[in-house]
Amino acid sequence: MAAKQQRLAVVSDSQVEAKRTDLRANEKKCSWASYMTYSPTVIVMIGLPARGKTYMAKKLTRYLNWIGVPTKVFNLGVYRREAVKAYKSYDFFRHDNKEAMEIRKNCALVALQDVKGYLNEEGGQIAVFDATNTTRERRELILNFAKDNAYKLFFVESICDDPDVIATNILDVKVSSPDYPERDRESVMEDFLKRIECYKVTYQPLDPDRHDKNLSFIQVINVGRRFLVNRVQDYIQSKIVYYLMNIHVQSHSIYLCRHGESHHNVEGQIGGDAELSERGKWFAAALKEFVEEHHLSDLKVWTSQLRRTIQTAEELGVPYEQWKILNEIDAGVCEEMTYKTIEEKFPEEFAMRDQDKYHYRYPGGESYQDLVQRLEPVIMELERQGNVLVICHQAVMRCLLAYFLDKSADDLPYLKCPLHTVLKLTPVAYGCKVDMFDLKVEAVNTHRDRPLQNKVQTDVPPAVLRRNSFTPLSSQDQIKRPRLYSVGNPSQAIVSQAPTLPSMQFSEASEGAELLLCEDSLNGFSAADTDDCDHS
Amino acid sequence: MPRELTQNRIQKIWVPTKDDKPAPRRAAGAPHFANPPTVIVMVGLPARGKTYISKKLTRYLNWIGMPTKVFNVGEYRREAVKNYSSYDFFKPDNECAVKIRQQCALAALRDVKSYLKDEGGQVAVFDATNTTRDRRDMILKFGNENGFKVFFIESVCDDPNVIASNIMEVKVSCPDYRNCNKTEAMLDFQRRIECYKTSYQPLDPDQHDKDLSFIKVIDVGRRFLVNRIQDHIQSKIVYYLMNIHVQPRTIYLCRHGESSDNLEGRLGGDSGLSPRGKQFSAALAHFVKEQQLNDLKVWTSQLCRSIQTAEHLGVPYEQWKALNEIDSGICEDMTYDEVKEKFPEEFALRDEDKFYYRYPAGESYQDLVQRVEPVIMELERQENVLVICHQAVMRCLLAYFLDKSADEMPYLKCPLHTVLKLTPVAYGCKVESIYLNVEAVNTHRDRPEEVKRGTGTLIRRNSVTPLTSPESNIKKPRIDDLDEPPIQDMPPSVASIALCSPSHLPLALAGQNLRMSRHDILQPCQ
């Protein structure tokens, strides 16, 4: 470490200093993935109802935001429910219902206006247009819209004829839809199946051989059993395809925890490669018990290549795999120091980290942003796998957790991941359920709260600041609005010029109210966030 | 009971000690998802780029540390039948020839088996037309009996231009047509394709083959159909195939200009350019202009010296942190002499096995390969790119393009102020080395003499070490290769195989030691 410190001194003496500071100040904050997304892209979902379009749209959006490409879902259903407050029955979706057709088309136009506002004004890079888009006419309209605005288009069509899958889908997410407030399950199922029939009449799937052979798209067939990929144009489309090919819908749980308490933890030192403390070993034993109690069949165990995680895994008596990329954030010149020492030795660095913890890179080390990029293959593989227990480190666990819970770059470095606590993540409907297990072995607290003086500023970032930055946002953060409008809500400024819908109203007064919810006890997932599927 | 952990001295990996046995070599930083071995089966008419895909994929898989080898049935056939006369041989009703071809396939499969079972291979690429269901069923059965996973790659292409240029590029120079002129060869080859067409049964995703794992590559990557991916490696293969393209382009690799740390012989660090380093940057700007490339992308690392170099070019550039120089941990900013003095043991360990050696709190070449993998993937996607990077990083990238093994990679020569121009040709990559005439210090440390014939091969047995893509066995008939799989278990008709001339596809390489001793690395040690 001495060498690294010395290096810092040498560098700051040298003539390059000016240049460096300059670089640092102008450092682009955007992620690599964002860099590579040259022109704004509209991802257009296609498919009959209950084909998992919204599931894919939301999941993809969460992933893209996490890797640092600002993305937002525009769900047409939400617009439609705004326009038509009371849903009666599938009659509304009959293709010969002229009045309803008009309303639906208007909704699409409003949503597209919002897409435009998002991509042109709000710094968005990808908009996911989540609707059935089952007719060529509708897709033609979108193609023209994209052409006028110089957006790239990528279609994601979900095709599924397995009745069991469709039924499960309806039961999972549709019966709880606001369209069906007080009905019993069977009539919902019946109505919804009829609704699907309405769409079937006019459904024109993408035709890779003739009509649509020049479009860029992926067809996801029978829930990922098969894929047809046509004319991938660029980096981000290739990433999207790779992601969609790796996700699956089998039920599984991911368990995240940190290593047992280490000697460095006890001393308050960061980084390093210390061994477990006595209590750390007790935790490892408690973890073994936990794994046994939960009867986790086929559980895969992953660790980093640092001793404390390997020691923890060794106690379990099961095979495990080591990933170097799960290693703790590299604190560079600050490795093995306490926060206090850092504050003394590098007061400026210390202050900078507090200012923008996500982007702050330790001299000779890493930032959270670097970490997210490093961890991407882990996420990809977690998506592929069944039950996995990941024994990792505080900063690493925060990054992984932020992916599953859709947390923004702002919140990510302050997520609470205490020692000796296991988080169980189970995908449900459109989100992820979190169960927390405190294994009742005492440990030091390694969490440093967000400094108070910055709290106000960082909690509610001024719109201007956010606008053109490429900081990962959570999918929800994209629209800080009351929960009722939490998906696909049009931006106000633009609505005024857009085709208006008579009954569309926005309660501006309550804007931002939701924000205050996020800072409760533990990452805010104790209550509200455990259910991300609230799409009302 | 938890086992005691000891740190592997070369790789700095914590491993449990069991029964005093030395811990086995670990895979790279990521788990290797120990799967059953995989047989990749190419499917498609002749001149559909099967061999191109096979070779390229094999090179990639070897580079990421997955021992892979191509088994090209055409080569077996050429062994069995020395003198190719004409397309008559491929007529479906030529019974004698059909029999020979069948036996060649069997011989190749036998070699696949011994490669995957006895020689530490993980992936075998079975490169043949495999256009009939009969043949594919036979392979499936073979896979099933041996516990190998089978993944098909079918190349479908109907564009006559693509096919014609394919034939011109690689087929007319094939040994089959040694004594023909180009037109004759072209004609014969087209007839050969017709022979296959009559019996071609493409993979059928809807019915017959719906349960198989495969990818159809349609019209040279314009479209893909992917069916039932089973595991990590298949998913990686699919991603790779979706990112490669065949447009002609050029990749330029160079290091930053000489830095002040270079002058002092220091490792790592983040120093600025020396005056000569700045001269180089200017020369590079001139060079880039001369090349007259439209749409040249320039990539740098996030270290000062590579950015300063790019700044001189006056064109936009992009910074990758993944291109940063190898992290030499506690040895950062030291000279080799200082390292030798302060950490004599570490210094010696690095010489012992430079690819695996991880600096304490730093990285190894193995780590580096993993780190730059996304760069390779993106390079494959792009067209003309200039990468301004660092010695160790450049060696890793170069090893990918030139198919170099882990043994050679850390000693590849990547001098300062020299641009390597890589152009894809046929199945390989042409390299030109262009020295820009600005003097610089030499930062290359040769492989130390005393360990040149070190124990390297011994530990290599079950490791996942990047290898060069091996040539097929029957093509390396060197007498001194005692480790060659015995030929006697081939069927009689093939046993008469005489040993043939060396590869007909020499790669033109400049500056690099071409003749690589594959058997050094490949051989399973006794």
Side-chain angles (χ1 to χ4, degrees):
Chain A
M1 290 317 108
K4 282 197 173 176
Q5 282 160 37
Q6 184 200 338
R7 168 162 51 132
L8 186 77
V10 170
V11 167
S12 61
D13 279 352
S14 78
Q15 66 211 43
V16 254
E17 192 195 13
K19 177 87 186 169
R20 271 178 67 87
T21 340
D22 197 41
L23 269 173
R24 188 146 195 170
N26 295 331
E27 210 171 5
K28 285 200 190 149
K29 280 189 175 174
C30 77
S31 65
W32 174 254
S34 168
Y35 249 149
M36 301 297 296
T37 312
Y38 300 112
S39 53
T41 299
V42 183
I43 296 173
V44 182
M45 307 301 301
I46 301 177
L48 295 172
R51 259 60 180 181
K53 292 187 302 298
T54 300
Y55 173 80
M56 277 193 279
K58 290 202 176 196
K59 188 151 183 162
L60 185 60
T61 300
R62 176 156 63 85
Y63 168 73
L64 291 170
N65 277 312
W66 184 75
I67 63 170
V69 185
T71 305
K72 182 168 158 181
V73 179
F74 296 80
N75 179 309
L76 197 55
V78 174
Y79 286 81
R80 192 255 309 154
R81 277 188 280 277
E82 279 309 314
V84 184
K85 285 282 162 132
Y87 172 77
K88 289 199 197 76
S89 80
Y90 68 92
D91 268 347
F92 184 81
F93 293 97
R94 294 173 62 109
H95 66 100
D96 49 5
N97 183 338
K98 280 217 174 118
E99 191 193 358
M101 285 298 270
E102 192 63 19
I103 296 177
R104 285 161 64 198
K105 185 169 181 189
N106 268 336
C107 288
L109 291 174
V110 175
L112 287 180
Q113 282 306 313
D114 287 353
V115 165
K116 187 172 165 183
Y118 176 67
L119 296 179
N120 289 4
E121 316 280 333
E122 297 165 44
Q125 285 192 303
I126 296 185
V128 183
F129 189 63
D130 179 17
T132 53
N133 300 313
T134 39
T135 64
R136 283 188 184 158
E137 188 194 347
R138 174 59 52 88
R139 296 198 293 265
E140 210 58 48
L141 181 129
I142 300 168
L143 280 163
N144 283 331
F145 163 79
K147 205 170 154 209
D148 290 346
N149 291 286
Y151 303 147
K152 283 188 181 169
L153 273 190
F154 188 72
F155 294 92
V156 178
E157 180 170 29
S158 176
I159 301 171
C160 175
D161 15 347
D162 185 335
D164 291 341
V165 173
I166 296 162
T168 318
N169 220 336
I170 296 178
L171 287 179
D172 271 0
V173 294
K174 301 299 180 187
V175 292
S176 57
S177 154
D179 283 346
Y180 302 107
E182 295 139 16
R183 299 192 189 195
D184 57 294
R185 284 185 149 206
E186 268 135 62
S187 70
V188 169
M189 179 66 91
E190 201 178 310
D191 185 86
F192 206 88
L193 287 173
K194 282 190 183 140
R195 206 201 270 197
I196 296 176
E197 289 307 315
C198 295
Y199 280 97
K200 272 195 182 162
V201 180
T202 52
Y203 183 22
Q204 296 163 299
L206 286 173
D207 168 17
D209 294 318
R210 300 190 60 90
H211 188 272
D212 300 310
K213 68 178 195 298
N214 292 322
L215 300 183
S216 299
F217 62 85
I218 178 172
Q219 289 180 315
V220 180
I221 300 155
N222 283 329
V223 205
R225 189 178 299 169
R226 198 196 307 168
F227 302 91
L228 193 129
V229 181
N230 200 54
R231 286 192 180 264
V232 173
Q233 294 174 84
D234 59 15
Y235 174 81
I236 202 68
Q237 292 181 6
S238 149
K239 282 233 97 130
I240 290 167
V241 166
Y242 188 46
Y243 183 73
L244 291 177
M245 298 213 306
N246 279 306
I247 59 177
H248 66 81
V249 291
Q250 267 78 52
S251 67
H252 65 139
S253 290
I254 290 159
Y255 298 83
L256 300 180
C257 73
R258 292 166 63 192
H259 53 83
E261 182 189 73
S262 73
H263 290 305
H264 273 20
N265 288 147
V266 176
E267 305 290 327
Q269 292 167 282
I270 63 173
D273 193 10
E275 293 192 63
L276 296 186
S277 71
E278 271 315 300
R279 295 194 297 195
K281 288 177 189 157
W282 295 343
F283 165 73
L287 186 62
K288 178 188 170 71
E289 233 168 79
F290 174 85
V291 169
E292 279 163 6
E293 269 170 28
H294 281 73
H295 305 292
L296 303 169
S297 58
D298 278 340
L299 180 74
K300 296 225 168 110
V301 179
W302 296 351
T303 70
S304 73
Q305 288 195 348
L306 294 171
R307 187 154 41 157
R308 51 198 186 276
T309 66
I310 298 164
Q311 279 185 328
T312 310
E314 270 293 320
E315 187 82 40
L316 304 181
V318 298
Y320 57 91
E321 302 256 24
Q322 300 181 10
W323 293 69
K324 186 175 198 243
I325 52 176
L326 280 172
N327 279 10
E328 182 55 317
I329 190 170
D330 181 353
V333 299
C334 299
E335 279 279 313
E336 298 192 273
M337 293 185 182
T338 63
Y339 282 124
K340 200 153 168 271
T341 322
I342 300 172
E343 195 168 7
E344 279 166 24
K345 282 203 166 180
F346 309 109
E348 207 195 345
E349 293 292 330
F350 192 76
M352 277 201 285
R353 187 153 202 257
D354 278 345
Q355 253 171 45
D356 188 351
K357 195 173 173 188
Y358 181 81
H359 292 107
Y360 172 80
R361 183 183 283 167
Y362 283 108
E366 290 177 304
S367 64
Y368 272 93
Q369 189 180 30
D370 296 335
L371 208 49
V372 162
Q373 203 178 339
R374 156 146 77 83
L375 286 167
E376 211 234 298
V378 176
I379 288 296
M380 204 59 97
E381 199 51 34
L382 275 177
E383 286 293 351
R384 293 187 38 76
Q385 296 286 339
N387 297 327
V388 184
L389 165 64
V390 186
I391 303 174
C392 54
H393 304 269
Q394 179 162 267
V396 169
M397 186 161 158
R398 281 172 176 156
C399 293
L400 298 177
L401 198 58
Y403 166 78
F404 289 105
L405 300 186
D406 202 2
K407 297 290 178 181
S408 71
D410 228 31
D411 297 328
L412 183 151
Y414 296 100
L415 291 178
K416 285 189 179 133
C417 298
L419 284 165
H420 301 181
T421 302
V422 180
L423 297 184
K424 177 184 178 187
L425 307 171
T426 316
V428 286
Y430 298 144
C432 198
K433 184 167 139 260
V434 187
D435 297 302
M436 211 181 82
F437 300 90
D438 177 353
L439 297 196
K440 302 283 180 227
V441 179
E442 267 191 71
V444 293
N445 175 20
T446 58
H447 186 87
R448 246 188 104 242
D449 266 323
R450 198 193 294 267
L452 276 180
Q453 63 268 30
N454 292 327
K455 195 153 178 130
V456 179
Q457 189 213 321
T458 43
D459 253 14
V460 190
V464 189
L465 202 152
R466 259 288 155 79
R467 180 166 295 228
N468 288 316
S469 85
F470 294 94
T471 310
L473 306 169
S474 79
S475 308
Q476 276 86 31
D477 269 357
Q478 305 274 320
I479 12 143
K480 295 279 189 187
R481 284 178 206 290
R483 208 143 184 78
L484 185 62
Y485 303 100
S486 66
V487 180
N489 212 21
S491 131
Q492 332 255 313
I494 305 190
V495 149
S496 53
Q497 307 136 21
T500 39
L501 298 173
S503 63
M504 223 178 228
Q505 291 168 0
F506 302 95
S507 47
E508 299 200 38
S510 50
E511 178 169 359
E514 193 197 6
L515 262 184
L516 304 172
L517 296 176
C518 351
E519 292 283 325
D520 62 25
S521 60
L522 207 110
N523 307 331
F525 52 69
S526 45
D529 284 9
T530 49
D531 183 6
D532 263 2
C533 71
D534 183 0
H535 57 134
S536 48
Chain B
M1 260 343 276
R3 298 165 285 183
E4 279 299 305
L5 298 183
T6 46
Q7 195 172 44
N8 166 323
R9 285 155 72 224
I10 295 261
Q11 289 181 288
K12 311 289 186 296
I13 292 177
W14 291 103
V15 281
T17 12
K18 24 180 169 179
D19 319 329
D20 299 328
K21 263 200 287 181
R25 173 91 67 201
R26 304 288 303 215
H32 50 112
F33 303 106
N35 279 311
T38 300
V39 183
I40 296 174
V41 182
M42 306 303 299
V43 179
L45 294 173
R48 261 61 181 182
K50 292 187 302 298
T51 300
Y52 175 80
I53 296 176
S54 304
K55 293 203 177 198
K56 186 147 184 167
L57 184 61
T58 299
R59 176 156 63 85
Y60 170 71
L61 292 173
N62 276 312
W63 184 75
I64 61 170
M66 187 80 61
T68 304
K69 184 168 163 178
V70 181
F71 296 81
N72 180 312
V73 177
E75 282 165 17
Y76 286 78
R77 192 256 308 155
R78 277 188 281 279
E79 283 308 315
V81 183
K82 276 304 162 61
N83 296 312
Y84 173 79
S85 51
S86 83
Y87 69 93
D88 273 346
F89 186 80
F90 293 96
K91 279 191 173 160
D93 53 2
N94 184 339
E95 271 179 40
C96 171
V98 166
K99 205 166 181 187
I100 293 176
R101 284 159 63 202
Q102 169 90 358
Q103 274 163 341
C104 288
L106 287 173
L109 284 181
R110 203 154 309 161
D111 288 349
V112 165
K113 183 171 162 183
S114 68
Y115 177 67
L116 295 179
K117 291 227 154 146
D118 308 326
E119 296 165 44
Q122 290 262 321
V123 180
V125 182
F126 189 69
D127 178 16
T129 52
N130 301 313
T131 39
T132 63
R133 284 188 183 158
D134 274 355
R135 176 54 56 85
R136 295 196 295 264
D137 285 344
M138 181 185 100
I139 300 168
L140 283 166
K141 197 162 148 253
F142 163 82
N144 209 7
E145 279 167 0
N146 291 288
F148 302 150
K149 286 189 180 176
V150 176
F151 185 73
F152 293 93
I153 300 177
E154 180 170 24
S155 178
V156 183
C157 177
D158 304 321
D159 185 334
N161 294 327
V162 173
I163 296 162
S165 75
N166 230 335
I167 296 175
M168 279 319 274
E169 212 172 309
V170 292
K171 300 300 181 187
V172 297
S173 55
C174 152
D176 284 347
Y177 299 112
R178 222 166 313 165
N179 307 317
C180 307
N181 68 34
K182 282 191 175 182
T183 330
E184 284 166 9
M186 179 72 126
L187 206 65
D188 185 82
F189 203 86
Q190 274 166 346
R191 294 216 176 107
R192 208 200 269 198
I193 296 178
E194 291 306 317
C195 294
Y196 280 95
K197 268 194 183 161
T198 52
S199 58
Y200 183 21
Q201 297 164 297
L203 287 171
D204 168 16
D206 294 317
Q207 290 283 328
H208 188 272
D209 300 311
K210 67 180 194 307
D211 295 326
L212 301 184
S213 298
F214 63 85
I215 178 172
K216 264 182 202 264
V217 181
I218 300 158
D219 286 342
V220 206
R222 185 183 304 165
R223 199 195 306 167
F224 300 91
L225 192 135
V226 181
N227 200 54
R228 286 191 179 262
I229 302 180
Q230 296 173 80
D231 57 19
H232 176 78
I233 191 64
Q234 292 180 9
S235 149
K236 281 221 93 128
I237 291 169
V238 165
Y239 188 46
Y240 182 72
L241 292 179
M242 298 206 337
N243 279 308
I244 61 178
H245 67 79
V246 291
Q247 258 70 56
R249 51 88 171 263
T250 309
I251 292 166
Y252 300 84
L253 301 180
C254 72
R255 292 166 63 189
H256 52 84
E258 182 188 70
S259 72
S260 35
D261 273 357
N262 286 150
L263 279 176
E264 294 174 27
R266 294 187 186 281
L267 306 174
D270 194 9
S271 61
L273 295 183
S274 73
R276 291 195 301 199
K278 286 175 190 158
Q279 279 175 40
F280 165 73
S281 309
L284 185 63
H286 186 68
F287 173 80
V288 167
K289 269 198 202 98
E290 266 182 358
Q291 296 284 310
Q292 295 190 322
L293 298 155
N294 37 0
D295 283 340
L296 178 74
K297 298 228 165 100
V298 179
W299 295 352
T300 71
S301 74
Q302 290 193 350
L303 294 171
C304 189
R305 53 196 186 277
S306 78
I307 298 167
Q308 281 187 334
T309 309
E311 273 294 327
H312 277 80
L313 304 183
V315 297
Y317 58 89
E318 280 151 18
Q319 302 178 9
W320 290 73
K321 190 171 196 246
L323 282 173
N324 279 11
E325 182 55 318
I326 190 169
D327 181 353
S328 38
I330 58 171
C331 301
E332 280 277 311
D333 275 321
M334 292 188 189
T335 63
Y336 279 125
D337 283 345
E338 283 167 3
V339 176
K340 199 168 180 176
E341 202 177 299
K342 281 198 173 177
F343 309 107
E345 207 197 350
E346 292 294 328
F347 192 77
L349 284 172
R350 188 153 200 257
D351 277 345
E352 211 174 280
D353 197 342
K354 197 172 173 189
F355 178 78
Y356 286 106
Y357 173 81
R358 187 184 278 169
Y359 283 107
E363 289 176 307
S364 63
Y365 272 88
Q366 191 184 26
D367 295 335
L368 210 50
V369 164
Q370 206 189 339
R371 163 146 74 80
V372 300
E373 202 242 14
V375 180
I376 286 296
M377 199 62 93
E378 196 49 32
L379 272 177
E380 285 295 350
R381 291 188 37 74
Q382 297 285 340
E383 299 193 353
N384 299 328
V385 184
L386 164 64
V387 184
I388 304 174
C389 54
H390 305 269
Q391 180 161 265
V393 171
M394 185 159 158
R395 283 172 175 159
C396 289
L397 298 176
L398 197 58
Y400 167 77
F401 288 108
L402 302 188
D403 203 0
K404 297 288 181 180
S405 72
D407 213 36
E408 298 163 281
M409 182 196 296
Y411 296 101
L412 291 177
K413 285 191 177 127
C414 298
L416 284 166
H417 300 183
T418 302
V419 180
L420 294 186
K421 180 175 175 182
L422 307 173
T423 322
V425 287
Y427 298 141
C429 197
K430 189 174 124 223
V431 189
E432 292 160 75
S433 161
I434 302 134
Y435 171 53
L436 295 194
N437 254 326
V438 179
E439 268 190 67
V441 292
N442 175 19
T443 59
H444 186 88
R445 248 190 102 241
D446 267 323
R447 191 194 295 267
E449 281 296 328
E450 62 270 28
V451 282
K452 246 180 188 159
R453 282 168 293 126
T455 52
T457 47
L458 239 176
I459 1 177
R460 204 141 261 159
R461 183 180 281 253
N462 288 313
S463 75
V464 248
T465 310
L467 304 169
T468 60
S469 310
E471 287 173 24
S472 76
N473 294 332
I474 49 167
K475 283 176 64 193
K476 0 181 271 180
R478 275 185 256 143
I479 317 267
D480 54 345
D481 280 359
L482 298 173
D483 51 295
E484 286 303 320
I487 299 181
Q488 61 261 28
D489 64 3
M490 285 192 185
S493 67
V494 187
S496 62
I497 287 177
L499 304 167
C500 82
S501 59
S503 164
H504 57 276
L505 289 163
L507 303 183
L509 304 182
Q512 302 298 337
N513 180 14
L514 225 195
R515 212 43 257 173
M516 36 206 138
S517 44
R518 287 184 184 80
H519 54 295
D520 279 352
I521 307 135
L522 242 193
Q523 81 189 67
C525 25
Q526 319 301 329

